[in-house]
Amino acid sequence: MKGKFITFEGVEGCGKSTQTRLLKEFLENKNIDVLATREPGGPKISEMIRKLLLDPENKEMLPETEMLLYMASRSQHTGEWILPALNSGKFVICDRFYDSTIAYQGAARNLDRKMIDMIRVYATYGLEPDLTILIDTPAEVGLSRISGRAIDRLEQESLSFHKKVRQGYLDIAKAEPERFLVIDGEQEIGAIQEDIRNKILEIMR
Ligand code: TMP
């Protein structure tokens, strides 16, 4: 049996992490085996790459290096954790996956989309999410929610950068409506989770 692969996407402060946690609880209460994970990160090597990527000291990092490091982290994560979990029948919920690269490095940093697509197919062994949940939130709202906490290298980018990220996500969702569930991130946490659960129940039927 092959499990389902669900990814969460959105701008900083959109509430993905909370929703990932709530969905994990919901599935586990139904006795479903779940791997909840995040990108960049997961296994040891991917977490080491995460540190490099998010360290605010690494100001000189070039967009190409950045994109390739996200992909390298993803490749290890997919091969070491995600594919084995799916193959053993688990539900995998991942906080960010390759759509983050398309939105951040593609739409916001202006790297070539064709190149990103080529490398992401290679890095993920062709794996694509069964469902991607985009928690759509205006960049200003998301950034105001994270103000006050220590922010990483990407979060330090300008408001116009984060606006491009949001638009990048909306464009991908528009191009792939069958894979995406777009949810209004300005709703209450409970209402957002309810939309997510309804969609998951539909997929499981
Ligand atoms: P997080 O704050 O959601 O843990 O994500 C870390 C940061 O990395 C966040 O600012 C988004 C960024 N990111 C990319 O730029 N490209 C990617 O492919 C991924 C997975 C994350």
Side-chain angles (χ1 to χ4, degrees):
M1 183 184 133
K2 194 175 172 296
K4 296 279 180 212
F5 183 35
I6 317 290
T7 59
F8 279 87
E9 297 285 355
V11 297
E12 320 293 333
C14 71
K16 286 178 290 89
S17 313
T18 307
Q19 296 298 337
T20 306
R21 184 174 47 74
L22 294 173
L23 178 61
K24 178 175 191 268
E25 283 170 18
F26 173 71
L27 291 170
E28 284 177 343
N29 283 336
K30 293 194 168 303
N31 286 322
I32 293 172
D33 228 350
V34 180
L35 168 68
T37 183
R38 64 159 184 197
E39 288 215 334
K44 185 184 76 187
I45 291 171
S46 305
E47 288 289 336
M48 288 167 83
I49 299 173
R50 177 185 175 94
K51 286 208 180 76
L52 265 175
L53 277 164
L54 301 186
D55 187 345
E57 295 289 311
N58 287 337
K59 290 193 182 11
E60 69 276 34
M61 191 180 292
L62 298 170
E64 291 80 0
T65 310
E66 182 180 283
M67 189 265 278
L68 290 167
L69 284 174
Y70 277 112
M71 292 292 192
S73 165
R74 179 164 305 131
S75 176
Q76 187 67 32
H77 188 203
T78 307
E80 189 181 335
W81 279 19
I82 300 176
L83 287 173
L86 289 172
N87 288 331
S88 72
K90 283 191 184 167
F91 238 85
V92 178
I93 311 173
C94 194
D95 183 342
R96 298 193 182 281
F97 199 55
Y98 62 65
D99 296 300
S100 284
T101 310
I102 301 172
Y104 282 78
Q105 283 67 50
R109 293 248 196 262
N110 273 317
L111 291 186
D112 183 56
R113 171 69 195 266
K114 283 202 191 82
M115 184 64 81
I116 293 177
D117 277 339
M118 226 168 72
I119 299 172
R120 73 96 177 149
V121 172
Y122 182 71
T124 61
Y125 316 95
L127 178 69
E128 293 181 354
D130 294 295
L131 171 70
T132 299
I133 299 163
L134 171 59
I135 306 186
D136 178 48
T137 314
E140 299 86 329
V141 173
L143 290 178
S144 75
R145 288 184 190 157
I146 63 166
S147 71
R149 73 167 206 220
I151 57 171
D152 65 41
R153 196 175 57 85
L154 274 287
E155 289 165 346
Q156 284 179 353
E157 286 291 340
S158 63
L159 176 61
S160 73
F161 177 90
H162 292 285
K163 284 186 167 174
K164 286 186 205 158
V165 172
R166 182 194 187 194
Q167 191 54 50
Y169 276 131
L170 290 171
D171 291 343
I172 316 169
K174 201 169 164 199
E176 288 184 69
E178 63 299 330
R179 177 164 67 90
F180 272 85
L181 170 66
V182 182
I183 299 182
D184 174 0
E186 290 190 276
Q187 297 178 89
E188 292 291 310
I189 291 176
I192 296 176
Q193 182 62 201
E194 174 123 7
D195 286 356
I196 294 171
R197 290 179 180 184
N198 287 337
K199 183 71 184 181
I200 298 289
L201 290 172
E202 191 187 305
I203 285 183
M204 284 162 62
R205 248 178 251 129

